[in-house]
Amino acid sequence: MPDRQNRIVPVILSGGSGSRLWPLSREASPKQFLSLTGDVSLFERTAQRVADPERFAPTIVVANHEHRFLVAECLRRMALRPPTILLEPCARNTAPAVAVAALLAMRSDPDALLLIMPSDHVIADETAFRLAIDSGIEAARNGLFVLFGIPPTAPSTGYGYIRTGTRLGGGARKVDRFVEKPNSTTAERYIADGGYLWNSGIFLMPARNLVSELERFEPLILTAARTALDHATVDMDFLRLAPDPFAASPSISLDYAVMERTDRAAVVPADMGWTDLGSWSSLKDIAPPDADGNVITGPVETLDVTSSYLHSTGPLVAALGVDGLTVVATPDAVLVTRTDRDQDVKRLVDQLKAKGHASATLTTTVHRPWGYYQSVHAGDRFQVKRITVRPGARLSLQKHAHRAEHWVVVNGTALVTRNGEEFLLHENESVFLPLGCVHRLTNPGSDPLNLIEVQSGGYLGEDDIERFDDDYARA
């Protein structure tokens, strides 16, 4: 195995909300944690991509603190090497996140080489991905900031472009200039020119030089990152960045903060089947269409429908006589748009937020460190949930001031604590938990525990919990 200094440090950025893929992706459960292109999530696929200990040092994950249990559950399922999981107290774009990761990596290796990757990209050709990294190592070891540029396959207006320049060492070229997302006419001109690549947002760069350039261009970011890391606190398997210093950082992308201003920018062309899944049409483009040009997922029926994307995770979607539509249905929301307008879904989500629609940000499934719960139905003074508890996990010892609960075991075995008494419940057995009783739910078995919880009372909010003991150190 190469010594530690020769291995690349992967940095996975997982702070985005993925609102352009609403309603499937939302702030509470963004697209990187969804299985959009196979059996595992985009985050899991990204972590797998850099799991080889011969090539890569242990991973640094930078994630929103609200997603910490989603990250931990993904990594638990994959049984990967324990990474360092840095929790951002608030969103500050990619430059502050990368700054913290660079400072942390340099504590172990001052000459660390970082491979910075968003957690929500698709890379179909893993071999080409590894070859691209190999092509960029020489330039990165020589102090350059290597971007991986994707040969464009169409005049897309959804990606930024890179104008390539003279050849450098290895497979790298100098970056002549960066171009914002163009209009369709300009994009067609770039394709015809042949000297432009899509900006993948994946970087290979030396941490030391990155820190130097941040000191030069954005010293406030570096100061905030250093202070937030110096005052970080350990929380279970996570490292929580200090909230106030991190929040003081300017919110800016790595492209704007460094890449568009430095003279160290280089690019390696990488034809690796890359897609950033920034819209529903990008997801449609990587799926095999049927004879009518449709991509269909879930309970969908069509008649005389062409060139459309139809996806349902809940109700039956029946479409008749339409062309070029995107329809995405979940148990609590439905999106309908022309395919050529799906870049504007984020604007629609912003409008939903402004009007106070909970479904703009929240899902019906809420993840917790012990498992998850799903809202099934709610009415006047009652609501029904399905609760799933992982094997060996347990909820906090708690009581509620405003509601009573009734638990019915669907499958698995439940160990129930109620006012100091402990007993087992099996399939089709139930228990009543009156208002104010001290209780706890544990899964003592080796299979997931599923139960139905019926709550009743004058207030049913999640903040009506007084905890007396908690395995996850929650207040």
Side-chain angles (χ1 to χ4, degrees):
M1 178 184 295
D3 63 42
R4 186 177 183 86
Q5 279 71 22
N6 287 333
R7 291 185 298 169
I8 296 169
V9 180
V11 177
I12 299 177
L13 304 178
S14 184
S17 61
S19 57
R20 286 184 177 86
L21 290 185
W22 186 89
L24 213 56
S25 173
R26 310 185 196 184
E27 286 183 13
S29 184
K31 62 179 177 178
Q32 60 264 35
F33 302 112
L34 304 178
S35 301
L36 295 173
T37 60
D39 295 332
V40 301
S41 69
L42 299 174
F43 179 93
E44 289 167 306
R45 189 71 71 194
T46 304
Q48 284 178 326
R49 203 169 289 136
V50 291
D52 181 2
E54 296 291 330
R55 297 172 61 92
F56 300 105
T59 301
I60 297 173
V61 177
V62 187
N64 186 305
H65 74 106
E66 296 290 349
H67 303 152
R68 62 195 183 279
F69 300 127
L70 286 168
V71 170
E73 177 62 15
C74 285
L75 295 169
R76 183 193 67 80
R77 283 199 302 263
M78 304 308 292
L80 299 176
R81 288 177 297 169
T84 298
I85 305 175
L86 291 169
L87 298 181
E88 296 178 302
C90 58
R92 281 296 177 268
N93 216 312
T94 55
V98 172
V100 173
L103 292 168
L104 180 62
M106 289 175 63
R107 289 181 176 181
S108 300
D109 176 10
D111 298 316
L113 201 62
L114 308 180
L115 177 63
I116 301 160
M117 303 170 293
S119 61
D120 55 1
H121 289 184
V122 171
I123 295 177
D125 190 339
E126 303 277 346
T127 300
F129 170 75
R130 291 189 291 271
L131 290 174
I133 293 172
D134 292 342
S135 296
I137 284 179
E138 179 183 341
R141 293 286 184 205
N142 288 331
L144 298 181
F145 301 158
V146 178
L147 261 167
F148 296 97
I150 310 302
T153 57
S156 172
T157 60
Y159 300 137
Y161 286 71
I162 302 166
R163 171 71 180 180
T164 61
T166 57
R167 290 186 179 276
L168 303 170
R173 290 177 173 270
K174 182 177 176 58
V175 172
D176 267 0
R177 64 188 178 103
F178 292 89
V179 184
E180 291 298 309
K181 296 176 181 178
N183 59 34
S184 57
T185 301
T186 304
E188 289 173 0
R189 180 161 51 84
Y190 291 164
I191 296 295
D193 179 280
Y196 288 85
L197 301 169
W198 286 336
N199 185 348
S200 72
I202 303 173
F203 307 88
L204 183 66
M205 57 177 61
R208 186 197 301 274
N209 296 82
L210 173 60
V211 168
S212 296
E213 293 292 70
L214 283 168
E215 185 71 67
R216 175 184 170 198
F217 297 123
E218 294 285 348
L220 292 179
I221 289 179
L222 191 60
T223 297
R226 185 173 280 123
T227 307
L229 184 60
D230 287 344
H231 294 87
T233 56
V234 176
D235 177 5
M236 298 171 55
D237 296 328
F238 312 109
L239 188 62
R240 285 185 175 273
L241 298 172
D244 291 342
F246 192 80
S249 173
S251 179
I252 185 172
S253 71
L254 184 62
D255 281 330
Y256 287 145
V258 174
M259 296 303 295
E260 297 188 11
R261 300 154 82 177
T262 185
D263 57 3
R264 295 179 178 272
V267 61
V268 168
D271 190 0
M272 53 188 178
W274 171 91
T275 308
D276 78 342
L277 293 188
S279 65
W280 284 112
S281 56
S282 65
L283 190 58
K284 177 178 182 289
D285 288 343
I286 64 174
D290 64 16
D292 295 314
N294 301 315
V295 173
I296 295 174
T297 304
V300 174
E301 290 292 333
T302 64
L303 179 61
D304 297 332
V305 174
T306 55
S307 303
S308 294
Y309 182 85
L310 305 163
H311 185 121
S312 177
T313 60
L316 170 68
V317 170
L320 170 64
V322 297
D323 174 75
L325 284 189
T326 293
V327 180
V328 183
T330 67
D332 65 331
V334 178
L335 168 71
V336 180
T337 178
R338 292 202 322 260
T339 299
D340 61 1
R341 290 293 306 277
D342 66 356
Q343 286 286 342
D344 293 327
V345 170
K346 184 178 184 300
R347 290 174 52 200
L348 178 61
V349 174
D350 290 340
Q351 178 177 313
L352 294 173
K353 289 181 186 177
K355 293 186 176 181
H357 290 283
S359 58
T361 57
L362 302 178
T363 65
T364 56
T365 299
V366 179
H367 291 267
R368 291 290 185 257
W370 42 261
Y372 62 89
Y373 68 82
Q374 295 171 296
S375 298
V376 177
H377 187 61
D380 183 24
R381 293 178 58 86
F382 80 94
Q383 66 177 332
V384 181
K385 295 180 177 179
R386 170 191 166 177
I387 296 177
T388 299
V389 185
R390 290 188 290 104
R394 63 179 182 172
L395 283 65
S396 60
L397 185 67
Q398 59 185 252
K399 73 175 182 179
H400 309 296
H402 302 285
R403 71 173 184 255
E405 296 176 341
H406 197 116
W407 293 342
V408 182
V409 175
V410 177
N411 51 49
T413 300
L415 175 63
V416 178
T417 302
R418 183 178 62 180
N419 287 334
E421 175 191 11
E422 285 192 347
F423 51 91
L424 291 173
L425 289 182
H426 302 284
E427 186 173 319
N428 290 326
E429 296 181 338
S430 63
V431 62
F432 177 65
L433 305 166
L435 185 151
C437 84
V438 177
H439 60 278
R440 172 175 248 160
L441 176 63
T442 302
N443 179 1
S446 56
D447 296 316
L449 164 65
N450 291 287
L451 58 84
I452 299 298
E453 176 181 86
V454 180
Q455 302 176 353
S456 59
Y459 178 73
L460 305 174
E462 285 301 305
D463 55 347
D464 179 24
I465 297 178
E466 181 181 355
R467 292 189 173 94
F468 302 97
D469 179 59
D470 184 56
D471 294 344
Y472 314 104
R474 295 170 296 174

